[in-house]
Amino acid sequence: MAQHFHKGILFYHNAAGQGNIYKELGQVTENLTQLCDDLTIKLSKEEGEIKSLCKEIAEQHAYDVLFILGGDGTLNELVNGVVENNLQIPIGVLPGGTFNDFTKTLNLSPKPMQASQDLLDSQIKSFDVLDVNGKYALNFTGIGLMVQNAENVESNQKQLLGKFSYVFSTIKTVSSPEIYNYELTADGETYTGETSMILIANGQHVGGSKIPLEDLSANDGKMNIFIFDKQNFSIINDFFKVKDSLNWNEISNSITHIACETASLSTDPEAKLDIDGEIINNTPIEVKLLKNKIKMMYLDINAN
């Protein structure tokens, strides 16, 4: 066992992911109680409650590890609470949603029970965070087709069908993709043009699929911006089907890739923004990469 803590708290949300959160609790706590001497289990009943609890934790210094059982949205709320309150406390993630994208970056199992077992052998590692107009994103933000596609999916369809209801391969079902005139400034260099989608990624996985560049990292001090050609909608499907960097050249002519630390983006018309799976706010945006901002429990698959 790599880590041991004195007092931990496990947050969970009864509306997270596909609604199967309760049956997982007993299984995961069996492993988590091996990680810490004292474990508190806390139900988050409404949006914003986890952030409020993070403020209390910062004031009371009551815990030395945080666990979260939920989907990407629940994790995003915890990340915002931790960063806003400058909590230097590691987070252990237990996937309970549809995609659980950052769990893949952490090399944890997609099943909560196995992920809690993985945490027993984990290490603590610092990761970067995106500051998007004052809201924090661990994994990504973006505009365009990804937002349109997500909005086409009814919430009840997501509950019934899970990831197959709105995985990126279904993005072709968007009948009238909107085209945006954009102006992007990245580390002082300006790019302009027309696009159907812009993805700003910190993590390695988005929408259940891996970004096809092997050297992407969530703690390398850079965000990765992908601007997709407005004329080639199928390239978005191809982007998430490519398995590795060897095939990158086949599609890269239709995608502009920029690695940077700061960026500003404006569009005409204004575009809705997807931040870690939550559709909130609009362009224009200012994005800053906050280096080594958050501590996560990470499984080193290369360790002996």
Side-chain angles (χ1 to χ4, degrees), residues 219-230:
N219 62 341
D220 62 358
K222 299 284 186 180
M223 69 181 90
N224 287 276
I225 304 177
F226 300 92
I227 306 172
F228 292 80
D229 192 325
K230 74 178 183 72

Side-chain angles (χ1 to χ4, degrees), residues 133-242:
N133 282 4
K135 181 172 175 62
Y136 303 105
L138 187 60
N139 201 41
F140 77 95
T141 188
I143 65 162
L145 270 171
M146 62 195 303
V147 175
Q148 283 184 267
N149 193 61
E151 288 187 322
N152 279 358
V153 178
E154 299 294 335
S155 60
N156 63 335
Q157 287 181 311
K158 180 181 175 182
Q159 296 234 346
L160 288 171
L161 301 176
K163 69 179 65 178
F164 295 105
S165 65
Y166 67 135
V167 73
F168 272 98
S169 61
T170 68
I171 210 161
K172 60 188 176 184
T173 63
V174 177
S175 57
S176 301
E178 189 156 12
I179 303 301
Y180 298 91
N181 292 295
Y182 71 88
E183 180 174 308
L184 172 77
T185 300
D187 286 353
E189 187 168 351
T190 300
Y191 306 79
T192 59
E194 295 181 311
T195 184
S196 57
M197 188 172 98
I198 295 177
L199 168 65
I200 303 175
N202 180 48
Q204 300 166 328
H205 298 81
V206 177
S209 297
K210 189 176 188 300
I211 297 173
L213 287 178
E214 296 299 321
D215 55 351
L216 258 62
S217 171
N219 62 341
D220 62 358
K222 299 284 186 180
M223 69 181 90
N224 287 276
I225 304 177
F226 300 92
I227 306 172
F228 292 80
D229 192 325
K230 74 178 183 72
Q231 301 292 345
N232 193 345
F233 304 128
S234 66
I235 203 66
I236 297 172
N237 289 317
D238 295 340
F239 178 77
F240 288 102
K241 289 177 181 176
V242 170

Side-chain angles (χ1 to χ4, degrees), residues 1-3 35 116-123 298-300 303:
M1 186 181 299
Q3 306 293 335
L35 278 167
S116 67
Q117 185 72 37
D118 292 341
L119 292 180
L120 297 179
D121 298 314
S122 66
Q123 301 175 6
Y298 165 89
L299 186 65
D300 186 355

